[in-house]
Amino acid sequence: DIVLTQSPTTLSVTPGETVSLSCRASHSIGTNLHWYQQKTNESPRLLIKYASQSISGIPSRFSASGSGTDFTLNINNVEFDDVSSYFCQQTQSWPTFGAGTKLELK
Amino acid sequence: EVQLVESGGGLVKPGSSLKLSCVASGFTFSSYGMHWIRQAPKKGLEWIALIYYDSSNKYYADSVKGRFTISRDNSKNTLYLEMNSLRSEDTAMYYCAKSRGMRAPFDYWGQGVMVTVSS
């Protein structure tokens, strides 16, 4: 299985800050990497597909980049509504997910 | 509007069986692959099964292979997960999700259904 390692585990930020979340794959996965947002007691929502492609209806403050083994999700001007866990997922082989980064507000 | 609505969860004893359903609406169900994914309490996400749009192929995670069966009825827009020989480690929220293909992201998820395996 391809293992995805996300860092940091928890991120505490001030509204208005810009943050970067990391996802590292144990093997090269090209751009078959997707990002999801999951709020407490809700199901995951697709944020970004294929490493950097935007999703209709997702605010433009969410962007992402990367290929191969290193990927980054950026959130510009963090808002209260962004308090969530963020998961990366690879679909290069059988789907696996990272353990997630929990975004908290200071 | 795309909707996926799971049902069939509950509290069962180890060794029991349970069948989950996922009713789809708002898209052409028969054109999409469908997945089951689970999330143990306070844990991450684990993909467990995929069925092709026409049921021609089915794939399972090792953790459920031989115990769980994924199926679908395109005439009823419904996805199923039959779970046998349930174990305590199967306790989780179970989600269904749709995707366009093997390497495609899961673009819509259901709200989830809780399965608790406990004596």
Side-chain angles (χ1 to χ4, degrees), chain A residues 59-75:
Chain A
S60 58
R61 63 179 183 276
F62 291 93
S63 64
S65 62
S67 66
T69 60
D70 289 327
F71 301 86
T72 301
L73 173 69
N74 300 301
I75 311 174

Side-chain angles (χ1 to χ4, degrees), chain A residues 36 38 43 50 89 91 94, chain B residues 39 59 95 103-104 106 109-110:
Chain A
Y36 298 85
Q38 185 178 31
S43 55
Y50 299 112
Q89 175 207 30
T91 53
W94 303 118
Chain B
Q39 186 172 32
Y59 301 98
Y95 298 100
R103 291 188 173 176
F106 303 164
W109 299 57

Side-chain angles (χ1 to χ4, degrees), chain B residues 3-72:
Chain B
Q3 283 199 320
L4 297 168
V5 180
E6 301 96 335
S7 62
L11 171 62
V12 295
K13 296 186 186 308
S16 299
S17 299
L18 205 57
K19 188 171 185 177
L20 306 182
S21 299
C22 167
V23 177
S25 60
F27 66 101
T28 305
F29 179 71
S30 58
S31 297
Y32 287 85
M34 295 295 297
H35 302 260
W36 286 100
I37 306 101
R38 68 184 180 185
Q39 186 172 32
K42 307 290 186 185
K43 299 292 186 182
L45 298 158
E46 179 189 17
W47 169 83
I48 55 173
L50 158 67
I51 185 168
Y52 276 16
Y53 69 100
D54 59 355
S55 301
S56 59
N57 287 286
K58 304 175 185 181
Y59 301 98
Y60 300 91
D62 287 344
S63 58
V64 305
K65 199 174 295 182
R67 299 187 301 124
F68 290 12
T69 302
I70 190 171
S71 62
R72 65 191 295 161

Side-chain angles (χ1 to χ4, degrees), chain A residues 27 66 82 95:
Chain A
H27 300 80
D82 299 334

